[in-house]
Coordinates of all heavy atoms in Angstrom, one line a residue:
H145 N 3.7 -3.4 11.1 CA 3.5 -2.9 9.7 C 4.4 -1.7 9.4 O 4.7 -0.9 10.3 CB 2.0 -2.5 9.5 CG 1.6 -2.2 8.1 ND1 1.7 -1.0 7.6 CD2 1.2 -3.1 7.1 CE1 1.3 -1.0 6.3 NE2 1.0 -2.3 6.0
Y147 N 3.8 1.1 8.3 CA 3.2 2.4 8.6 C 3.3 2.8 10.1 O 2.9 3.8 10.5 CB 1.7 2.6 8.2 CG 1.5 2.5 6.7 CD1 0.2 2.3 6.2 CD2 2.5 2.6 5.8 CE1 -0.1 2.3 4.9 CE2 2.2 2.5 4.4 CZ 0.9 2.3 4.0 OH 0.7 2.3 2.6
V182 N -3.1 -2.3 12.3 CA -4.5 -2.0 12.6 C -5.3 -3.4 12.8 O -4.8 -4.4 12.4 CB -5.2 -1.1 11.5 CG1 -4.7 0.3 11.7 CG2 -4.9 -1.6 10.1
F184 N -7.7 -5.1 11.5 CA -8.0 -6.2 10.5 C -6.8 -7.1 10.3 O -6.9 -8.3 10.0 CB -8.5 -5.6 9.2 CG -7.4 -5.0 8.3 CD1 -6.5 -5.7 7.5 CD2 -7.4 -3.6 8.3 CE1 -5.6 -5.0 6.8 CE2 -6.4 -2.9 7.5 CZ -5.5 -3.7 6.8
M185 N -5.6 -6.5 10.5 CA -4.3 -7.3 10.3 C -4.2 -8.3 11.5 O -3.8 -9.4 11.2 CB -3.1 -6.4 10.4 CG -3.1 -5.4 9.2 SD -1.7 -4.2 9.4 CE -2.0 -3.2 7.9
T207 N -8.6 0.8 14.3 CA -9.4 0.2 13.2 C -9.0 0.9 11.9 O -8.3 1.9 11.9 CB -10.9 0.4 13.4 OG1 -11.2 1.7 13.6 CG2 -11.4 -0.5 14.6
C208 N -9.4 0.3 10.8 CA -9.1 1.0 9.5 C -10.4 1.5 8.9 O -11.4 0.8 8.7 CB -8.5 -0.1 8.5 SG -8.5 0.5 6.8
P209 N -10.5 2.8 8.7 CA -11.7 3.4 8.2 C -12.2 2.8 6.9 O -13.4 2.7 6.7 CB -11.4 4.9 8.1 CG -10.2 5.1 8.9 CD -9.5 3.9 9.0
M210 N -11.2 2.4 6.1 CA -11.7 1.8 4.8 C -12.3 0.5 5.0 O -13.4 0.2 4.4 CB -10.5 1.7 3.9 CG -10.8 0.9 2.6 SD -9.7 1.2 1.3 CE -8.3 0.4 1.8
A211 N -11.8 -0.3 5.9 CA -12.4 -1.6 6.2 C -13.8 -1.4 6.7 O -14.7 -2.2 6.4 CB -11.5 -2.4 7.2
Y238 N -10.1 -6.9 -0.6 CA -8.7 -6.4 -0.3 C -8.5 -6.8 1.2 O -9.4 -6.8 2.0 CB -8.8 -4.9 -0.4 CG -7.5 -4.1 -0.3 CD1 -6.2 -4.7 -0.5 CD2 -7.5 -2.8 0.1 CE1 -5.1 -4.0 -0.4 CE2 -6.3 -2.1 0.2 CZ -5.1 -2.7 0.0 OH -3.9 -2.0 0.1
N240 N -7.5 -5.3 3.5 CA -8.0 -4.2 4.4 C -9.5 -4.3 4.5 O -10.3 -3.5 4.0 CB -7.7 -2.8 3.9 CG -6.2 -2.6 3.8 OD1 -5.4 -3.5 3.5 ND2 -5.7 -1.4 4.0
A327 N -12.7 3.8 0.0 CA -11.3 4.3 -0.3 C -10.6 4.5 1.0 O -11.2 4.7 2.1 CB -11.5 5.6 -1.0
C328 N -9.3 4.6 0.9 CA -8.4 4.8 2.1 C -8.5 6.3 2.4 O -8.3 7.2 1.6 CB -7.0 4.4 1.8 SG -5.8 5.1 2.9
A329 N -8.7 6.6 3.7 CA -8.8 7.9 4.2 C -7.5 8.7 3.9 O -7.5 10.0 3.8 CB -9.1 7.9 5.7
I330 N -6.4 8.0 3.8 CA -5.1 8.7 3.6 C -4.8 8.8 2.1 O -4.6 9.9 1.6 CB -4.0 7.9 4.3 CG1 -4.3 7.6 5.8 CG2 -2.6 8.6 4.2 CD1 -4.8 8.8 6.6
H331 N -4.7 7.7 1.5 CA -4.3 7.7 0.1 C -5.2 8.5 -0.9 O -4.8 9.0 -1.9 CB -4.0 6.3 -0.4 CG -2.8 5.7 0.2 ND1 -2.9 4.8 1.3 CD2 -1.5 5.8 -0.1 CE1 -1.7 4.5 1.7 NE2 -0.8 5.0 0.9
E356 N -3.6 2.6 -3.7 CA -4.8 3.0 -3.1 C -5.2 4.5 -3.4 O -6.2 5.0 -3.1 CB -4.7 2.9 -1.5 CG -4.8 1.5 -1.0 CD -4.5 1.4 0.5 OE1 -4.6 2.4 1.2 OE2 -4.1 0.3 0.9
E392 N 1.9 6.6 3.2 CA 1.8 7.1 4.6 C 3.2 7.6 5.1 O 4.2 7.0 4.7 CB 1.4 5.9 5.5 CG 0.6 6.2 6.7 CD 1.5 6.5 7.9 OE1 2.7 6.3 7.9 OE2 0.9 7.0 8.9
T417 N -0.5 11.2 7.6 CA -0.3 10.0 8.5 C -1.6 9.4 8.8 O -2.7 10.0 8.8 CB 0.3 10.5 9.9 OG1 -0.5 11.5 10.4 CG2 1.7 10.9 9.7
C418 N -1.6 8.1 9.1 CA -2.8 7.3 9.4 C -3.0 7.4 10.9 O -2.2 6.8 11.7 CB -2.7 5.9 8.9 SG -4.1 4.9 9.4
S419 N -4.0 8.1 11.4 CA -4.2 8.3 12.8 C -4.5 6.9 13.5 O -4.2 6.8 14.7 CB -5.3 9.3 13.1 OG -6.5 8.9 12.4
N420 N -5.0 6.0 12.8 CA -5.3 4.7 13.4 C -4.1 3.9 13.6 O -3.9 3.2 14.7 CB -6.4 3.9 12.7 CG -7.8 4.4 13.0 OD1 -8.3 4.0 14.0 ND2 -8.3 5.3 12.2
M421 N -3.2 3.9 12.6 CA -1.9 3.2 12.8 C -1.1 3.9 14.0 O -0.4 3.2 14.8 CB -1.0 3.4 11.5 CG -1.5 2.5 10.4 SD -0.8 0.8 10.6 CE -1.4 0.0 9.1
Ligands
LIG630 FE1 -6.7 2.0 6.5 FE2 -5.6 3.8 4.9 FE3 -4.9 3.7 7.5 FE4 -4.1 1.7 5.9 S1 -3.5 3.9 5.8 S2 -5.0 1.5 7.9 S3 -5.9 1.6 4.5 S4 -7.0 4.2 6.6

Side-chain angles (χ1 to χ4, degrees):
H145 189 269
Y147 295 169
V182 286
F184 73 80
M185 297 176 180
T207 54
C208 167
M210 175 159 69
Y238 186 26
N240 299 31
C328 164
I330 307 309
H331 290 95
E356 285 173 19
E392 212 274 351
T417 51
C418 175
S419 55
N420 278 281
M421 285 278 183

